[in-house]
Amino acid sequence: MEKRIELERRGKSPAKITELNLDNCKSTAIVGLTEEFEKLEVLSLINVGLTSLKGFPMLPNLRKLELSDNRISGGLNALTCLPKLAYLNLSGNKIKDLETLEPLKDLKSLFNLDLFNCEVSLVENYREKMFALIPSLVYLDGFDKEDNSEEEDGEEEEDGVVEAEDDGVVVEGQEEEDDDVEEEEELDEEEVEEEEDDDGEDEEDVPLDALYKEYNPVGDDDYEALEGEDDDDEALDEEDGDVSRGKKRKLEDGED
């Protein structure tokens, strides 16, 4: 195992390693794996031939541990030094009873546990007892308490996202887009209001006296036309007056 660890490191410092695959490197115990791997998050020890976990190092960031197809029958208390462990695969090992699994209840982050093909899975009410033993557990052997598989739950989550989008529910990213649109609309409204204010200032009432003072009628055809019409009306009024006076004189002459 030590040689395999050295090979997998590829010259990197143990403190920089986040994933380590030691599958099929034959060893009955943990050798060469130390607390120097402080940033290790994923460790795989499939089909190594382990019979004991004694000496398992404290790995504060380990989230996923693969121990399937070994010969482990006990000593799981060695894993209680893994505070962030969420996924543990012990399938294909020699675990026979629930008492052997009791140390796992101290793993507060344990989310997914696989004991497939272990004798303990044949215990009466095995699933109910395991979920009761480990409160944080969601998936046991690939299924939750309602016997929904991990794959089915994953599909439901995806469907939920689609339905949320169809129903107009704000999803991640959409809220930011909506905010941008609202800001643009507000800016457009402000621009329109400013234009209206400018138009209002231009259209303020101006005193008639001031308009007439500044007005020059020379060259204004409409003004001259109106003035001509006024002259014609005055001429007609004078003619009507002359006619009336003429008629009056005739009447007076007739009376004489």
Short mmCIF file of all heavy atoms in Angstrom, two decimals, residues 67-133:
data_model
loop_
_atom_site.label_atom_id
_atom_site.label_comp_id
_atom_site.label_asym_id
_atom_site.label_seq_id
_atom_site.Cartn_x
_atom_site.Cartn_y
_atom_site.Cartn_z
N LEU A 67 -15.00 1.27 0.70
CA LEU A 67 -14.35 0.11 1.33
C LEU A 67 -15.00 -1.20 0.90
O LEU A 67 -14.91 -2.21 1.60
CB LEU A 67 -14.44 0.24 2.86
CG LEU A 67 -13.59 1.35 3.51
CD1 LEU A 67 -13.98 1.51 4.98
CD2 LEU A 67 -12.11 1.05 3.38
N SER A 68 -15.65 -1.20 -0.24
CA SER A 68 -16.37 -2.39 -0.68
C SER A 68 -15.43 -3.53 -1.08
O SER A 68 -14.27 -3.32 -1.45
CB SER A 68 -17.28 -2.05 -1.87
OG SER A 68 -16.52 -1.57 -2.97
N ASP A 69 -15.96 -4.76 -0.96
CA ASP A 69 -15.25 -5.98 -1.38
C ASP A 69 -13.94 -6.21 -0.63
O ASP A 69 -12.92 -6.57 -1.22
CB ASP A 69 -15.00 -5.98 -2.90
CG ASP A 69 -16.30 -5.91 -3.70
OD1 ASP A 69 -17.29 -6.52 -3.25
OD2 ASP A 69 -16.32 -5.23 -4.74
N ASN A 70 -13.99 -5.97 0.68
CA ASN A 70 -12.87 -6.31 1.55
C ASN A 70 -13.33 -7.42 2.51
O ASN A 70 -14.36 -8.06 2.29
CB ASN A 70 -12.38 -5.08 2.30
CG ASN A 70 -11.54 -4.15 1.42
OD1 ASN A 70 -10.41 -4.45 1.08
ND2 ASN A 70 -12.13 -3.01 1.04
N ARG A 71 -12.57 -7.62 3.59
CA ARG A 71 -12.93 -8.67 4.55
C ARG A 71 -13.10 -8.11 5.96
O ARG A 71 -12.78 -8.75 6.95
CB ARG A 71 -11.87 -9.78 4.54
CG ARG A 71 -11.84 -10.56 3.22
CD ARG A 71 -10.78 -11.65 3.26
NE ARG A 71 -9.43 -11.08 3.21
CZ ARG A 71 -8.33 -11.75 3.54
NH1 ARG A 71 -8.42 -13.00 3.98
NH2 ARG A 71 -7.13 -11.19 3.46
N ILE A 72 -13.65 -6.90 6.00
CA ILE A 72 -13.84 -6.20 7.28
C ILE A 72 -15.04 -6.82 8.03
O ILE A 72 -16.12 -6.96 7.47
CB ILE A 72 -14.08 -4.70 7.04
CG1 ILE A 72 -12.87 -4.08 6.31
CG2 ILE A 72 -14.37 -3.96 8.33
CD1 ILE A 72 -13.13 -2.69 5.76
N SER A 73 -14.83 -7.14 9.29
CA SER A 73 -15.90 -7.73 10.11
C SER A 73 -16.22 -6.91 11.35
O SER A 73 -17.18 -7.20 12.07
CB SER A 73 -15.52 -9.15 10.52
OG SER A 73 -14.32 -9.14 11.29
N GLY A 74 -15.43 -5.88 11.62
CA GLY A 74 -15.65 -5.05 12.81
C GLY A 74 -14.66 -3.91 12.87
O GLY A 74 -14.00 -3.55 11.88
N GLY A 75 -14.58 -3.30 14.06
CA GLY A 75 -13.63 -2.21 14.25
C GLY A 75 -14.00 -0.91 13.55
O GLY A 75 -13.13 -0.10 13.23
N LEU A 76 -15.33 -0.70 13.34
CA LEU A 76 -15.75 0.51 12.64
C LEU A 76 -15.59 1.79 13.47
O LEU A 76 -15.73 2.89 12.94
CB LEU A 76 -17.21 0.36 12.18
CG LEU A 76 -17.49 -0.79 11.20
CD1 LEU A 76 -18.95 -0.78 10.79
CD2 LEU A 76 -16.58 -0.70 9.97
N ASN A 77 -15.30 1.63 14.75
CA ASN A 77 -15.06 2.81 15.58
C ASN A 77 -13.83 3.59 15.12
O ASN A 77 -13.65 4.75 15.47
CB ASN A 77 -14.90 2.40 17.05
CG ASN A 77 -13.80 1.40 17.25
OD1 ASN A 77 -13.70 0.42 16.51
ND2 ASN A 77 -12.96 1.60 18.26
N ALA A 78 -13.00 2.95 14.28
CA ALA A 78 -11.81 3.63 13.73
C ALA A 78 -12.21 4.75 12.77
O ALA A 78 -11.39 5.62 12.44
CB ALA A 78 -10.92 2.63 13.02
N LEU A 79 -13.48 4.73 12.33
CA LEU A 79 -13.95 5.74 11.37
C LEU A 79 -14.58 6.96 12.03
O LEU A 79 -14.96 7.91 11.35
CB LEU A 79 -14.96 5.11 10.40
CG LEU A 79 -14.46 3.91 9.58
CD1 LEU A 79 -15.59 3.39 8.69
CD2 LEU A 79 -13.24 4.29 8.74
N THR A 80 -14.69 6.94 13.34
CA THR A 80 -15.34 8.06 14.03
C THR A 80 -14.48 9.33 14.04
O THR A 80 -14.93 10.38 14.51
CB THR A 80 -15.68 7.67 15.49
OG1 THR A 80 -14.49 7.25 16.16
CG2 THR A 80 -16.70 6.55 15.51
N CYS A 81 -13.28 9.24 13.52
CA CYS A 81 -12.40 10.42 13.41
C CYS A 81 -12.59 11.14 12.09
O CYS A 81 -11.75 11.94 11.68
CB CYS A 81 -10.94 10.00 13.56
SG CYS A 81 -10.38 8.82 12.31
N LEU A 82 -13.72 10.85 11.40
CA LEU A 82 -14.01 11.45 10.10
C LEU A 82 -15.28 12.30 10.21
O LEU A 82 -16.37 11.87 9.84
CB LEU A 82 -14.19 10.36 9.04
CG LEU A 82 -13.05 9.33 8.92
CD1 LEU A 82 -13.44 8.22 7.96
CD2 LEU A 82 -11.75 10.00 8.51
N PRO A 83 -15.19 13.52 10.72
CA PRO A 83 -16.37 14.34 11.01
C PRO A 83 -17.22 14.75 9.81
O PRO A 83 -18.41 15.01 9.95
CB PRO A 83 -15.76 15.58 11.69
CG PRO A 83 -14.37 15.66 11.16
CD PRO A 83 -13.92 14.24 11.04
N LYS A 84 -16.63 14.78 8.61
CA LYS A 84 -17.38 15.21 7.42
C LYS A 84 -17.80 14.04 6.52
O LYS A 84 -18.35 14.28 5.43
CB LYS A 84 -16.55 16.20 6.60
CG LYS A 84 -16.35 17.54 7.29
CD LYS A 84 -15.65 18.53 6.37
CE LYS A 84 -15.48 19.88 7.03
NZ LYS A 84 -14.80 20.86 6.13
N LEU A 85 -17.58 12.82 6.97
CA LEU A 85 -17.89 11.67 6.13
C LEU A 85 -19.40 11.60 5.85
O LEU A 85 -20.21 11.48 6.76
CB LEU A 85 -17.43 10.38 6.80
CG LEU A 85 -17.50 9.12 5.93
CD1 LEU A 85 -16.55 9.25 4.74
CD2 LEU A 85 -17.17 7.87 6.74
N ALA A 86 -19.75 11.66 4.57
CA ALA A 86 -21.16 11.64 4.15
C ALA A 86 -21.52 10.36 3.41
O ALA A 86 -22.68 9.93 3.45
CB ALA A 86 -21.45 12.85 3.27
N TYR A 87 -20.55 9.75 2.73
CA TYR A 87 -20.81 8.54 1.94
C TYR A 87 -19.84 7.45 2.37
O TYR A 87 -18.63 7.63 2.38
CB TYR A 87 -20.62 8.85 0.45
CG TYR A 87 -20.76 7.65 -0.46
CD1 TYR A 87 -21.98 7.33 -1.05
CD2 TYR A 87 -19.66 6.83 -0.73
CE1 TYR A 87 -22.11 6.23 -1.88
CE2 TYR A 87 -19.77 5.74 -1.56
CZ TYR A 87 -21.00 5.43 -2.12
OH TYR A 87 -21.11 4.33 -2.95
N LEU A 88 -20.41 6.28 2.73
CA LEU A 88 -19.59 5.14 3.16
C LEU A 88 -20.11 3.87 2.50
O LEU A 88 -21.27 3.48 2.66
CB LEU A 88 -19.65 4.99 4.69
CG LEU A 88 -18.90 3.78 5.28
CD1 LEU A 88 -17.41 3.83 4.94
CD2 LEU A 88 -19.12 3.72 6.79
N ASN A 89 -19.22 3.22 1.74
CA ASN A 89 -19.58 1.98 1.06
C ASN A 89 -18.85 0.81 1.71
O ASN A 89 -17.63 0.70 1.62
CB ASN A 89 -19.23 2.07 -0.43
CG ASN A 89 -19.79 0.91 -1.23
OD1 ASN A 89 -20.23 -0.10 -0.66
ND2 ASN A 89 -19.81 1.05 -2.54
N LEU A 90 -19.63 -0.04 2.40
CA LEU A 90 -19.09 -1.25 3.05
C LEU A 90 -19.66 -2.52 2.43
O LEU A 90 -19.59 -3.59 3.03
CB LEU A 90 -19.40 -1.22 4.55
CG LEU A 90 -18.63 -0.20 5.40
CD1 LEU A 90 -19.27 -0.07 6.77
CD2 LEU A 90 -17.16 -0.60 5.53
N SER A 91 -20.19 -2.41 1.24
CA SER A 91 -20.81 -3.58 0.60
C SER A 91 -19.77 -4.68 0.34
O SER A 91 -18.60 -4.40 0.07
CB SER A 91 -21.47 -3.17 -0.73
OG SER A 91 -20.51 -2.65 -1.63
N GLY A 92 -20.23 -5.91 0.44
CA GLY A 92 -19.35 -7.05 0.17
C GLY A 92 -18.33 -7.34 1.26
O GLY A 92 -17.30 -7.95 0.98
N ASN A 93 -18.62 -6.91 2.49
CA ASN A 93 -17.73 -7.21 3.62
C ASN A 93 -18.35 -8.27 4.53
O ASN A 93 -19.41 -8.82 4.24
CB ASN A 93 -17.41 -5.93 4.39
CG ASN A 93 -16.29 -5.11 3.74
OD1 ASN A 93 -15.11 -5.42 3.88
ND2 ASN A 93 -16.68 -4.07 3.00
N LYS A 94 -17.67 -8.55 5.64
CA LYS A 94 -18.08 -9.65 6.53
C LYS A 94 -18.88 -9.17 7.75
O LYS A 94 -18.81 -9.79 8.82
CB LYS A 94 -16.83 -10.41 7.01
CG LYS A 94 -15.91 -10.90 5.91
CD LYS A 94 -16.59 -11.94 5.04
CE LYS A 94 -15.64 -12.48 3.98
NZ LYS A 94 -16.26 -13.49 3.11
N ILE A 95 -19.64 -8.14 7.58
CA ILE A 95 -20.41 -7.58 8.70
C ILE A 95 -21.69 -8.39 8.88
O ILE A 95 -22.51 -8.49 7.95
CB ILE A 95 -20.73 -6.09 8.43
CG1 ILE A 95 -19.41 -5.31 8.27
CG2 ILE A 95 -21.58 -5.49 9.54
CD1 ILE A 95 -19.58 -3.89 7.79
N LYS A 96 -21.89 -8.93 10.09
CA LYS A 96 -22.99 -9.87 10.31
C LYS A 96 -24.13 -9.34 11.19
O LYS A 96 -25.25 -9.84 11.10
CB LYS A 96 -22.45 -11.15 10.94
CG LYS A 96 -21.44 -11.88 10.06
CD LYS A 96 -20.94 -13.15 10.75
CE LYS A 96 -19.94 -13.90 9.90
NZ LYS A 96 -19.45 -15.16 10.56
N ASP A 97 -23.87 -8.37 12.07
CA ASP A 97 -24.92 -7.94 13.00
C ASP A 97 -24.95 -6.42 13.15
O ASP A 97 -24.00 -5.71 12.80
CB ASP A 97 -24.72 -8.59 14.37
CG ASP A 97 -23.30 -8.43 14.89
OD1 ASP A 97 -22.85 -7.28 14.99
OD2 ASP A 97 -22.65 -9.46 15.19
N LEU A 98 -26.06 -5.94 13.71
CA LEU A 98 -26.27 -4.50 13.89
C LEU A 98 -25.31 -3.90 14.92
O LEU A 98 -24.93 -2.73 14.81
CB LEU A 98 -27.71 -4.23 14.31
CG LEU A 98 -28.80 -4.58 13.27
CD1 LEU A 98 -30.18 -4.41 13.89
CD2 LEU A 98 -28.65 -3.71 12.03
N GLU A 99 -24.91 -4.71 15.92
CA GLU A 99 -24.01 -4.21 16.95
C GLU A 99 -22.69 -3.74 16.35
O GLU A 99 -22.08 -2.77 16.82
CB GLU A 99 -23.76 -5.29 18.01
CG GLU A 99 -24.94 -5.58 18.92
CD GLU A 99 -26.04 -6.38 18.23
OE1 GLU A 99 -25.77 -6.96 17.13
OE2 GLU A 99 -27.17 -6.42 18.76
N THR A 100 -22.24 -4.41 15.31
CA THR A 100 -20.98 -4.04 14.65
C THR A 100 -21.08 -2.64 14.03
O THR A 100 -20.07 -1.93 13.92
CB THR A 100 -20.64 -5.08 13.56
OG1 THR A 100 -20.56 -6.38 14.15
CG2 THR A 100 -19.33 -4.74 12.87
N LEU A 101 -22.30 -2.26 13.66
CA LEU A 101 -22.50 -0.97 12.98
C LEU A 101 -22.80 0.19 13.92
O LEU A 101 -22.86 1.34 13.48
CB LEU A 101 -23.67 -1.11 11.98
CG LEU A 101 -23.44 -2.12 10.84
CD1 LEU A 101 -24.76 -2.40 10.13
CD2 LEU A 101 -22.39 -1.59 9.86
N GLU A 102 -22.95 -0.07 15.20
CA GLU A 102 -23.31 0.97 16.15
C GLU A 102 -22.36 2.17 16.18
O GLU A 102 -22.80 3.30 16.35
CB GLU A 102 -23.47 0.38 17.55
CG GLU A 102 -24.78 -0.37 17.72
CD GLU A 102 -25.06 -0.71 19.19
OE1 GLU A 102 -24.28 -0.27 20.06
OE2 GLU A 102 -26.04 -1.42 19.44
N PRO A 103 -21.05 1.99 16.00
CA PRO A 103 -20.15 3.16 16.00
C PRO A 103 -20.48 4.20 14.93
O PRO A 103 -20.15 5.38 15.08
CB PRO A 103 -18.77 2.54 15.76
CG PRO A 103 -18.88 1.16 16.30
CD PRO A 103 -20.27 0.73 15.94
N LEU A 104 -21.20 3.76 13.90
CA LEU A 104 -21.51 4.68 12.80
C LEU A 104 -22.51 5.76 13.21
O LEU A 104 -22.65 6.78 12.53
CB LEU A 104 -22.05 3.91 11.59
CG LEU A 104 -21.10 2.87 10.96
CD1 LEU A 104 -21.75 2.23 9.76
CD2 LEU A 104 -19.77 3.50 10.59
N LYS A 105 -23.21 5.55 14.31
CA LYS A 105 -24.19 6.55 14.75
C LYS A 105 -23.51 7.84 15.19
O LYS A 105 -24.15 8.89 15.28
CB LYS A 105 -25.05 5.99 15.89
CG LYS A 105 -24.29 5.74 17.18
CD LYS A 105 -25.19 5.11 18.22
CE LYS A 105 -24.41 4.82 19.52
NZ LYS A 105 -25.27 4.16 20.54
N ASP A 106 -22.21 7.78 15.44
CA ASP A 106 -21.46 8.97 15.84
C ASP A 106 -21.00 9.81 14.64
O ASP A 106 -20.45 10.90 14.82
CB ASP A 106 -20.24 8.57 16.66
CG ASP A 106 -20.63 7.94 18.00
OD1 ASP A 106 -21.66 8.35 18.57
OD2 ASP A 106 -19.90 7.03 18.46
N LEU A 107 -21.25 9.29 13.44
CA LEU A 107 -20.90 10.04 12.22
C LEU A 107 -22.09 10.94 11.87
O LEU A 107 -23.00 10.54 11.14
CB LEU A 107 -20.57 9.08 11.08
CG LEU A 107 -19.33 8.19 11.28
CD1 LEU A 107 -19.21 7.17 10.15
CD2 LEU A 107 -18.07 9.04 11.37
N LYS A 108 -22.09 12.15 12.38
CA LYS A 108 -23.24 13.05 12.26
C LYS A 108 -23.54 13.50 10.84
O LYS A 108 -24.65 13.95 10.55
CB LYS A 108 -23.02 14.28 13.16
CG LYS A 108 -22.71 13.96 14.62
CD LYS A 108 -23.83 13.15 15.26
CE LYS A 108 -23.53 12.86 16.73
NZ LYS A 108 -24.57 12.02 17.36
N SER A 109 -22.56 13.38 9.96
CA SER A 109 -22.76 13.83 8.57
C SER A 109 -23.08 12.68 7.62
O SER A 109 -23.27 12.91 6.42
CB SER A 109 -21.50 14.56 8.06
OG SER A 109 -21.22 15.70 8.84
N LEU A 110 -23.13 11.44 8.15
CA LEU A 110 -23.34 10.28 7.28
C LEU A 110 -24.72 10.33 6.62
O LEU A 110 -25.75 10.30 7.29
CB LEU A 110 -23.19 8.99 8.08
CG LEU A 110 -23.14 7.69 7.25
CD1 LEU A 110 -21.99 7.74 6.25
CD2 LEU A 110 -23.01 6.47 8.17
N PHE A 111 -24.69 10.39 5.31
CA PHE A 111 -25.89 10.61 4.50
C PHE A 111 -26.27 9.36 3.70
O PHE A 111 -27.44 9.05 3.51
CB PHE A 111 -25.60 11.79 3.56
CG PHE A 111 -26.69 12.15 2.60
CD1 PHE A 111 -27.68 13.04 2.97
CD2 PHE A 111 -26.72 11.64 1.31
CE1 PHE A 111 -28.68 13.41 2.09
CE2 PHE A 111 -27.72 11.98 0.42
CZ PHE A 111 -28.70 12.88 0.80
N ASN A 112 -25.24 8.65 3.26
CA ASN A 112 -25.44 7.52 2.36
C ASN A 112 -24.56 6.35 2.81
O ASN A 112 -23.33 6.48 2.87
CB ASN A 112 -25.07 7.95 0.92
CG ASN A 112 -25.56 6.98 -0.13
OD1 ASN A 112 -25.56 5.77 0.09
ND2 ASN A 112 -25.95 7.51 -1.28
N LEU A 113 -25.20 5.21 3.11
CA LEU A 113 -24.48 4.01 3.58
C LEU A 113 -24.88 2.82 2.72
O LEU A 113 -26.06 2.58 2.49
CB LEU A 113 -24.82 3.73 5.05
CG LEU A 113 -24.23 2.47 5.67
CD1 LEU A 113 -22.70 2.52 5.69
CD2 LEU A 113 -24.78 2.25 7.08
N ASP A 114 -23.87 2.08 2.28
CA ASP A 114 -24.14 0.90 1.45
C ASP A 114 -23.60 -0.35 2.14
O ASP A 114 -22.39 -0.45 2.40
CB ASP A 114 -23.48 1.06 0.07
CG ASP A 114 -24.06 0.09 -0.96
OD1 ASP A 114 -24.59 -0.97 -0.55
OD2 ASP A 114 -23.99 0.40 -2.17
N LEU A 115 -24.52 -1.27 2.46
CA LEU A 115 -24.16 -2.55 3.10
C LEU A 115 -24.65 -3.72 2.24
O LEU A 115 -24.86 -4.82 2.75
CB LEU A 115 -24.78 -2.63 4.50
CG LEU A 115 -24.25 -1.61 5.52
CD1 LEU A 115 -25.15 -1.60 6.76
CD2 LEU A 115 -22.81 -1.94 5.90
N PHE A 116 -24.81 -3.48 0.97
CA PHE A 116 -25.29 -4.52 0.06
C PHE A 116 -24.36 -5.73 0.09
O PHE A 116 -23.15 -5.61 0.13
CB PHE A 116 -25.37 -3.95 -1.36
CG PHE A 116 -25.79 -4.96 -2.39
CD1 PHE A 116 -27.10 -5.40 -2.46
CD2 PHE A 116 -24.86 -5.48 -3.29
CE1 PHE A 116 -27.49 -6.33 -3.42
CE2 PHE A 116 -25.24 -6.40 -4.24
CZ PHE A 116 -26.55 -6.83 -4.30
N ASN A 117 -24.95 -6.89 0.08
CA ASN A 117 -24.20 -8.16 0.06
C ASN A 117 -23.40 -8.39 1.34
O ASN A 117 -22.38 -9.09 1.33
CB ASN A 117 -23.28 -8.21 -1.17
CG ASN A 117 -22.94 -9.63 -1.58
OD1 ASN A 117 -23.71 -10.57 -1.29
ND2 ASN A 117 -21.80 -9.82 -2.24
N CYS A 118 -23.89 -7.79 2.45
CA CYS A 118 -23.35 -8.10 3.78
C CYS A 118 -24.41 -8.93 4.51
O CYS A 118 -25.61 -8.70 4.33
CB CYS A 118 -23.06 -6.83 4.57
SG CYS A 118 -21.68 -5.85 3.94
N GLU A 119 -24.00 -9.82 5.35
CA GLU A 119 -24.95 -10.69 6.06
C GLU A 119 -25.92 -9.90 6.93
O GLU A 119 -27.07 -10.32 7.14
CB GLU A 119 -24.20 -11.71 6.93
CG GLU A 119 -23.51 -12.82 6.13
CD GLU A 119 -22.91 -13.89 7.04
OE1 GLU A 119 -23.62 -14.31 7.98
OE2 GLU A 119 -21.76 -14.26 6.81
N VAL A 120 -25.50 -8.75 7.42
CA VAL A 120 -26.35 -7.95 8.29
C VAL A 120 -27.64 -7.52 7.58
O VAL A 120 -28.68 -7.30 8.23
CB VAL A 120 -25.59 -6.71 8.80
CG1 VAL A 120 -25.31 -5.74 7.67
CG2 VAL A 120 -26.37 -6.02 9.91
N SER A 121 -27.61 -7.44 6.27
CA SER A 121 -28.80 -7.02 5.53
C SER A 121 -29.92 -8.06 5.57
O SER A 121 -31.05 -7.78 5.16
CB SER A 121 -28.44 -6.72 4.06
OG SER A 121 -27.95 -7.90 3.41
N LEU A 122 -29.60 -9.27 6.11
CA LEU A 122 -30.62 -10.32 6.22
C LEU A 122 -31.32 -10.30 7.58
O LEU A 122 -32.27 -11.06 7.80
CB LEU A 122 -29.96 -11.69 6.01
CG LEU A 122 -29.25 -11.90 4.66
CD1 LEU A 122 -28.59 -13.28 4.63
CD2 LEU A 122 -30.22 -11.75 3.49
N VAL A 123 -30.88 -9.41 8.48
CA VAL A 123 -31.51 -9.29 9.80
C VAL A 123 -32.94 -8.79 9.64
O VAL A 123 -33.24 -7.95 8.79
CB VAL A 123 -30.69 -8.32 10.69
CG1 VAL A 123 -31.43 -8.05 12.00
CG2 VAL A 123 -29.31 -8.89 10.95
N GLU A 124 -33.85 -9.33 10.49
CA GLU A 124 -35.25 -8.93 10.42
C GLU A 124 -35.38 -7.42 10.68
O GLU A 124 -34.77 -6.88 11.61
CB GLU A 124 -36.06 -9.72 11.45
CG GLU A 124 -37.56 -9.49 11.34
CD GLU A 124 -38.32 -10.35 12.33
OE1 GLU A 124 -37.68 -11.13 13.07
OE2 GLU A 124 -39.57 -10.25 12.36
N ASN A 125 -36.22 -6.77 9.86
CA ASN A 125 -36.43 -5.32 9.96
C ASN A 125 -35.12 -4.53 9.89
O ASN A 125 -34.95 -3.50 10.53
CB ASN A 125 -37.16 -4.97 11.26
CG ASN A 125 -38.54 -5.59 11.34
OD1 ASN A 125 -39.25 -5.68 10.33
ND2 ASN A 125 -38.93 -6.04 12.51
N TYR A 126 -34.23 -5.05 9.09
CA TYR A 126 -32.90 -4.46 8.94
C TYR A 126 -32.96 -2.97 8.57
O TYR A 126 -32.31 -2.14 9.20
CB TYR A 126 -32.12 -5.26 7.90
CG TYR A 126 -31.07 -4.52 7.12
CD1 TYR A 126 -29.86 -4.17 7.71
CD2 TYR A 126 -31.27 -4.19 5.77
CE1 TYR A 126 -28.88 -3.50 6.98
CE2 TYR A 126 -30.31 -3.53 5.05
CZ TYR A 126 -29.11 -3.19 5.64
OH TYR A 126 -28.14 -2.52 4.92
N ARG A 127 -33.77 -2.63 7.58
CA ARG A 127 -33.80 -1.25 7.10
C ARG A 127 -34.36 -0.30 8.17
O ARG A 127 -33.78 0.76 8.43
CB ARG A 127 -34.64 -1.15 5.81
CG ARG A 127 -33.97 -1.84 4.61
CD ARG A 127 -34.77 -1.63 3.33
NE ARG A 127 -34.91 -0.22 3.00
CZ ARG A 127 -33.95 0.52 2.42
NH1 ARG A 127 -32.78 -0.04 2.12
NH2 ARG A 127 -34.15 1.78 2.13
N GLU A 128 -35.46 -0.67 8.78
CA GLU A 128 -36.05 0.17 9.82
C GLU A 128 -35.07 0.40 10.97
O GLU A 128 -34.93 1.51 11.49
CB GLU A 128 -37.35 -0.44 10.36
CG GLU A 128 -38.51 -0.46 9.36
CD GLU A 128 -38.42 -1.61 8.37
OE1 GLU A 128 -37.41 -2.36 8.39
OE2 GLU A 128 -39.37 -1.78 7.57
N LYS A 129 -34.38 -0.66 11.37
CA LYS A 129 -33.44 -0.56 12.48
C LYS A 129 -32.23 0.30 12.13
O LYS A 129 -31.72 1.04 12.98
CB LYS A 129 -32.99 -1.96 12.90
CG LYS A 129 -34.10 -2.78 13.55
CD LYS A 129 -33.64 -4.18 13.90
CE LYS A 129 -34.74 -4.98 14.57
NZ LYS A 129 -34.34 -6.37 14.87
N MET A 130 -31.79 0.22 10.89
CA MET A 130 -30.63 1.02 10.49
C MET A 130 -30.96 2.52 10.43
O MET A 130 -30.18 3.35 10.88
CB MET A 130 -30.11 0.56 9.12
CG MET A 130 -29.34 -0.75 9.17
SD MET A 130 -27.90 -0.68 10.28
CE MET A 130 -26.98 0.68 9.60
N PHE A 131 -32.14 2.85 9.91
CA PHE A 131 -32.54 4.26 9.86
C PHE A 131 -32.75 4.81 11.27
O PHE A 131 -32.50 5.99 11.53
CB PHE A 131 -33.82 4.43 9.03
CG PHE A 131 -33.58 4.42 7.54
CD1 PHE A 131 -34.06 3.39 6.74
CD2 PHE A 131 -32.85 5.45 6.93
CE1 PHE A 131 -33.84 3.40 5.37
CE2 PHE A 131 -32.62 5.45 5.57
CZ PHE A 131 -33.12 4.42 4.78
N ALA A 132 -33.19 3.95 12.17
CA ALA A 132 -33.35 4.37 13.57
C ALA A 132 -32.00 4.53 14.26
O ALA A 132 -31.81 5.42 15.10
CB ALA A 132 -34.21 3.36 14.32
N LEU A 133 -31.04 3.68 13.89
CA LEU A 133 -29.72 3.72 14.51
C LEU A 133 -28.94 4.96 14.10
O LEU A 133 -28.23 5.56 14.93
CB LEU A 133 -28.93 2.46 14.11
CG LEU A 133 -27.47 2.38 14.60
CD1 LEU A 133 -27.44 2.28 16.12
CD2 LEU A 133 -26.76 1.19 13.94
#
